[in-house]
Amino acid sequence: MVQKYQSPVRVYKHGFELIMAAYERRFPTCPLIPMFVGSDLMNEYKSEDGAVHIMERRCKLDVDAPRLLKKIAGVDYVYFIQKNSLNRQERTLHIEAYNETFASRIIVNEHCCYTVHPDNENWTCFEQTASLDIKSFFGFESTVEKIAMKQYTTNIKKGKEIIEYYLNLMEEEGITSMPRWTPEIAQIQESKPDTSLRAVSAPLSIPTKPSDGPSSKDASASSPTGAAHELSSTPDDKLDADYIKRYLGDLTPLQESCLIRLRQWLQETHKGKIPKDEHILRFLRARDFNIDKAREILCQSLTWRKQHHVDYLLSTWDPPQVLHDYYAGGWHHHDRDGRPLYVLRLGQMDTKGLVRALGEESLLRHVLSINEEGLRRCEENTKVFGRPISSWTCLVDLEGLNMRHLWRPGVKALLRIIEVVEANYPETLGRLLILRAPRVFPVLWTLVSPFIDENTRKKFLIYAGNDYQAPGGLLDYIDKEIIPDFLSGECLCEVPEGGLVPKALYRTPEELESEDIKLWTETIYQSASVFKGSPHEILIQIVDASSVITWDFDVCKGDIVFNIYHSKRAPQVPKKDTIGAHGITSPMGNNIQLIDKAWQLGRDYSMVESPLICKEGESVQGSHVTRWPGFYILQWKFHGMPACATSSLPRVEDVLATLQVSSHKCKVMYYTEIIGSEDFRGSMSSLESSHSGFSQLSAATTSSSQSHSSSMVSR
């Protein structure tokens, strides 16, 4: 595999001539580069006016490698050919180097360039590119590559130091500037030895690394291949080393190289707008600076952003009022490191109500807008605090978290949101503080953690009860003055308190599907109409006994009776109907019957659970552990008004109910899922541990360990 290096632009705030004079002093030897043993001049050319001076040297390097490896290779020193082309008139120095030793086994190429800064002629820029290709090396290819990479990066770090070292020596000698080249100066210096040119020709970086030829001293600054040519073009398409340190942070030379190379690739292939440098860097960090992997996920993310107009989300997204009122999250100052702080009172939030009222699309869009706002705040804080800030801190308060938050469709929606955020906003979470975690939290964590990147999980800090107030708690990360009041702090937090979303705000799947932008292609819930004499039924085939059928439905209109049946043979499905993933739809309002009128209960099919009467507005969750394989039918049937036993006259409540359901039509929204029994126990689908506010489906339910159903009814 070919290893490549591309440096950022290193800017010296000194004139080109002074930098060249400092560069000269590195020859014939440099105490700061002990591996550079010496060099022999092979060829030299000088133009008549002295403006152009080309020198070719054979450099001798003492590579720091294991003695055994040197013995196997049969060499003590490594030789590089270095060609320096100095143009005093154009004020450029190009350095090219390649290895002579083991040229048939290892190919090392390096190019360095000193040029005048495009915006300030009194400054000098340095850029460097290199490549290493190890064809074969006595079976030690990997070892040689590691040695080369290590020594090369070490020399790169010394590059700027060496130039500055000689600049300081010259300043002590009273030399702070050098005259520019003119034909007259060249005539005066004709009789003098060309020491400055000598100095220009010795690059020490070539030694150990593929790109380490003559630039090990100057390696501190550089740019993509053909850097010299690029630098003379637009300065905006380059990355300055000082800019990287100021806005992106301390990166190793190889990390800088990865950033520049990926950035340049995007400029060449994405003719339109490319991401900001800090965003590109996040994707590189997410893949440990593997350019190929980072490029793959970054391109997928760019396509996703373009398809869904995410770049315009902050200016186009107008959160519904229900989010303003019931979404218990918001931005709140910053942490001790200057990261934007986002507060989420998850325990006070009605996740089910938000999904029902908003739908997954709107909820996801809101979460994405939060992430987009986080990116904007990071940029703002980088300017305010004068240091790179590329991520934010999230404080999650779990007080109030209970079993209703473990509502399976809600958790599924959460997992999908996590998946989208992980894929498109990597390395944006600097720290996650989870406070007041209750006993039920481990269940949620077990379900969610596998979908979170390992590097992200390492940033989680979890505190149970009031542990966050102890040493090592919240005060280590957030200043006392901005701790929210609901955490016994002094700062008023304007994050909404959440609360239950009124069911009057719930919307049907049909209404939710009217969203303009689709970020997901599937929906969790389906809706069905139930008529008097025409129940709605869905078919579930079970292959393995002890599988678990789970359901969750809301009675949107009218009263219904919920039944579960089992049959050994498949019911005959009407030809015009099509079976969906979890249900059957028909042209007449999502209503279908599967049980043939000729079937007899007890002979052709059997009831496995007692009927459950559900009133309008109720939410029902439940599960059934199957006892036999075969076909299970879930049925929602119209529930008529019962006759009054004590009077021949109807009650007022019954009359009102009849008026409300005068059309003899009911409507339900439902979701079902089949899971293996081994995955069921202890998961959020198991509702057996929840008692408050819920009732058992049937007291007559069998106590068999292989058949059990539990159901919850929420009013």
Side-chain angles (χ1 to χ4, degrees):
M1 179 180 178
V2 179
Q3 296 290 341
K4 295 182 179 180
Y5 172 76
Q6 203 167 336
S7 76
V9 178
R10 178 71 64 192
V11 178
Y12 296 96
K13 297 182 180 181
H14 301 280
F16 177 80
E17 289 71 24
L18 188 64
I19 295 298
M20 290 298 97
Y23 182 72
E24 294 175 12
R25 300 201 174 199
R26 299 165 52 175
F27 298 93
T29 59
C30 177
L32 299 180
I33 310 179
M35 69 180 302
F36 183 60
V37 179
S39 63
D40 298 321
L41 183 62
M42 300 173 61
N43 297 296
E44 183 175 13
Y45 165 80
K46 185 182 293 186
S47 63
E48 292 183 0
D49 59 2
V52 177
H53 190 187
I54 300 175
M55 302 181 71
E56 191 172 16
R57 287 187 172 89
R58 187 170 186 258
C59 302
K60 184 179 180 180
L61 308 172
D62 184 8
V63 180
D64 183 15
R67 176 176 294 183
L68 177 60
L69 185 59
K70 287 186 176 182
K71 188 174 181 180
I72 293 175
V75 298
D76 291 325
Y77 300 100
V78 175
Y79 292 89
F80 277 76
I81 304 301
Q82 175 187 310
K83 180 181 179 180
N84 291 357
S85 302
L86 174 65
N87 190 317
R88 292 190 176 91
Q89 185 174 2
E90 296 182 0
R91 305 177 76 192
T92 62
L93 170 65
H94 291 273
I95 307 169
E96 297 178 0
Y98 62 90
N99 63 305
E100 180 185 70
T101 307
F102 304 119
S104 62
R105 296 178 178 273
I106 302 175
I107 300 175
V108 178
N109 289 300
E110 182 181 47
H111 176 255
C112 304
C113 182
Y114 286 93
T115 58
V116 176
H117 194 284
D119 297 328
N120 190 330
E121 62 178 10
N122 295 318
W123 290 357
T124 305
C125 296
F126 172 77
E127 299 179 83
Q128 173 184 358
T129 62
S131 64
L132 167 67
D133 185 8
I134 302 178
K135 303 294 185 182
S136 64
F137 202 83
F138 312 107
F140 292 92
E141 292 80 11
S142 178
T143 302
V144 172
E145 180 178 316
K146 291 179 181 178
I147 293 175
M149 298 293 286
K150 180 180 179 181
Q151 294 195 6
Y152 188 60
T153 53
T154 301
N155 290 332
I156 288 175
K157 294 177 181 178
K158 292 181 179 179
K160 187 177 182 180
E161 298 175 6
I162 294 171
I163 292 294
E164 292 177 343
Y165 170 78
Y166 286 114
L167 287 173
N168 292 333
L169 286 181
M170 294 170 63
E171 185 177 359
E172 293 175 2
E173 297 171 5
I175 304 174
T176 57
S177 64
M178 297 289 288
R180 294 188 184 180
W181 179 90
T182 62
E184 295 76 15
I185 294 179
Q187 292 175 3
I188 295 174
Q189 294 183 343
E190 267 183 1
S191 59
K192 298 182 180 180
D194 197 351
T195 55
S196 73
L197 295 178
R198 263 183 173 185
V200 174
S201 61
L204 306 174
S205 325
I206 301 184
T208 45
K209 210 158 174 207
S211 54
D212 212 41
S215 68
S216 103
K217 311 172 182 178
D218 317 314
S220 52
S222 144
S223 107
T225 311
H229 174 71
E230 291 180 12
L231 186 61
S232 60
S233 59
T234 334
D236 292 341
D237 65 357
K238 317 281 282 200
L239 282 185
D240 179 283
D242 294 333
Y243 160 82
I244 290 177
K245 185 174 183 180
R246 166 64 178 82
Y247 292 98
L248 304 180
D250 292 322
L251 303 179
T252 67
L254 294 183
Q255 289 174 345
E256 291 177 338
S257 173
C258 291
L259 172 62
I260 295 168
R261 288 164 55 199
L262 181 54
R263 186 177 186 268
Q264 186 184 34
W265 181 84
L266 289 169
Q267 289 174 332
E268 294 172 352
T269 57
H270 290 63
K271 302 304 180 183
K273 182 180 178 182
I274 69 170
K276 296 181 179 179
D277 299 322
E278 51 268 33
H279 200 57
I280 299 175
L281 185 59
R282 290 187 182 101
F283 282 86
L284 283 167
R285 283 176 170 152
R287 291 298 179 266
D288 296 324
F289 287 88
N290 183 308
I291 290 184
D292 293 334
K293 292 181 179 179
R295 178 168 50 208
E296 180 181 356
I297 61 173
L298 177 56
C299 289
Q300 292 173 354
S301 179
L302 293 177
T303 301
W304 172 82
R305 294 181 70 88
K306 183 177 180 180
Q307 288 176 342
H308 303 296
H309 310 287
V310 179
D311 288 335
Y312 309 101
L313 192 59
L314 287 180
S315 59
T316 59
W317 170 241
D318 184 18
Q321 188 60 41
V322 67
L323 282 173
H324 290 292
D325 297 338
Y326 298 101
Y327 190 88
W331 295 100
H332 180 75
H333 301 285
H334 57 80
D335 68 5
R336 288 183 180 271
D337 296 323
R339 296 189 185 102
L341 177 63
Y342 190 82
V343 175
L344 182 64
R345 304 185 67 178
L346 184 60
Q348 304 299 316
M349 197 153 59
D350 180 10
T351 53
K352 177 178 179 178
L354 289 173
V355 173
R356 284 279 201 264
L358 296 171
E360 300 166 26
E361 301 293 335
S362 294
L363 195 57
L364 172 62
R365 215 175 310 169
H366 185 62
V367 173
L368 295 181
S369 71
I370 293 172
N371 281 269
E372 290 294 311
E373 173 65 16
L375 296 178
R376 189 194 67 79
R377 287 174 178 260
C378 286
E379 291 182 30
E380 186 177 287
N381 286 17
T382 295
K383 298 175 183 178
V384 171
F385 292 99
R387 61 178 181 273
I389 296 174
S390 61
S391 60
W392 52 83
T393 293
C394 186
L395 187 156
V396 180
D397 179 24
L398 296 184
E399 185 181 50
L401 188 77
N402 55 39
M403 289 300 294
R404 67 183 170 85
H405 291 90
L406 303 185
W407 175 59
R408 190 172 187 85
V411 174
K412 273 205 163 187
L414 173 62
L415 295 180
R416 292 178 180 178
I417 290 175
I418 290 175
E419 184 179 5
V420 173
V421 172
E422 283 280 313
N424 299 284
Y425 300 91
E427 297 297 317
T428 53
L429 182 64
R431 182 180 294 117
L432 180 66
L433 303 171
I434 299 177
L435 310 184
R436 303 197 280 194
R439 290 184 177 181
V440 74
F441 173 72
V443 178
L444 178 62
W445 177 247
T446 301
L447 297 165
V448 173
S449 59
F451 295 85
I452 302 175
D453 179 74
E454 183 179 355
N455 291 332
T456 303
R457 291 202 301 268
K458 294 177 181 177
K459 302 171 184 177
F460 285 33
L461 296 172
I462 303 172
Y463 301 90
N466 293 321
D467 291 349
Y468 69 92
Q469 297 176 344
L474 206 54
L475 282 175
D476 284 9
Y477 307 101
I478 301 176
D479 289 329
K480 181 179 179 181
E481 295 75 20
I482 64 171
I483 292 180
D485 50 355
F486 64 86
L487 292 175
S488 304
E490 303 174 359
C491 186
L492 177 64
C493 183
E494 298 181 355
V495 173
E497 295 183 1
L500 292 176
V501 178
K503 292 189 177 181
L505 299 178
Y506 286 12
R507 294 192 291 169
T508 65
E510 290 79 10
E511 293 171 329
L512 296 176
E513 282 190 12
S514 64
E515 301 290 344
D516 294 330
I517 300 176
K518 289 295 178 184
L519 298 173
W520 289 329
T521 58
E522 59 176 326
T523 57
I524 290 180
Y525 288 90
Q526 299 185 51
S527 63
S529 297
V530 178
F531 303 92
K532 186 175 183 179
S534 298
H536 178 71
E537 297 165 342
I538 63 173
L539 179 66
I540 297 177
Q541 183 175 1
I542 297 297
V543 177
D544 299 323
S546 298
S547 295
V548 181
I549 302 173
T550 65
W551 58 83
D552 179 273
F553 63 87
D554 279 35
V555 184
C556 304
K557 182 180 180 181
D559 300 341
I560 59 99
V561 179
F562 178 67
N563 291 302
I564 308 175
Y565 300 100
H566 171 264
S567 175
K568 294 181 180 180
R569 58 187 177 125
Q572 185 67 35
V573 180
K575 295 181 181 180
K576 292 184 179 181
D577 297 300
T578 58
I579 301 180
H582 290 300
I584 303 172
T585 60
S586 69
M588 55 170 300
N590 297 329
N591 173 270
I592 190 62
Q593 300 87 51
L594 298 173
I595 300 177
D596 194 287
K597 292 183 179 180
W599 281 18
Q600 292 184 12
L601 183 63
R603 185 192 68 183
D604 302 294
Y605 67 106
S606 60
M607 180 180 291
V608 296
E609 297 292 341
S610 297
L612 176 67
I613 299 175
C614 306
K615 300 291 185 179
E616 181 176 331
E618 289 184 349
S619 296
V620 181
Q621 295 174 319
S623 58
H624 174 79
V625 181
T626 62
R627 188 171 184 179
W628 313 278
F631 301 91
Y632 286 78
I633 300 172
L634 273 58
Q635 180 193 75
W636 290 268
K637 186 170 65 175
F638 179 87
H639 178 60
M641 182 176 59
C644 181
T646 59
S647 172
S648 59
L649 297 176
R651 296 176 302 172
V652 175
E653 294 84 352
D654 297 335
V655 174
L656 293 176
T658 303
L659 293 175
Q660 290 175 355
V661 196
S662 58
S663 64
H664 300 291
K665 176 182 177 181
C666 301
K667 195 165 188 177
V668 295
M669 291 171 54
Y670 66 91
Y671 163 85
T672 65
E673 184 179 13
I674 306 170
I675 56 179
S677 59
E678 65 277 7
D679 299 324
F680 176 75
R681 297 300 175 186
S683 77
M684 63 197 170
S685 298
S686 178
L687 308 175
E688 299 172 62
S689 59
S690 180
H691 303 289
S692 177
F694 301 99
S695 60
Q696 290 296 326
L697 175 61
S698 169
T701 298
T702 174
S703 60
S704 167
S705 61
Q706 296 201 333
S707 178
H708 179 78
S709 173
S710 61
S711 187
M712 307 191 300
V713 183
S714 174
R715 294 176 172 81

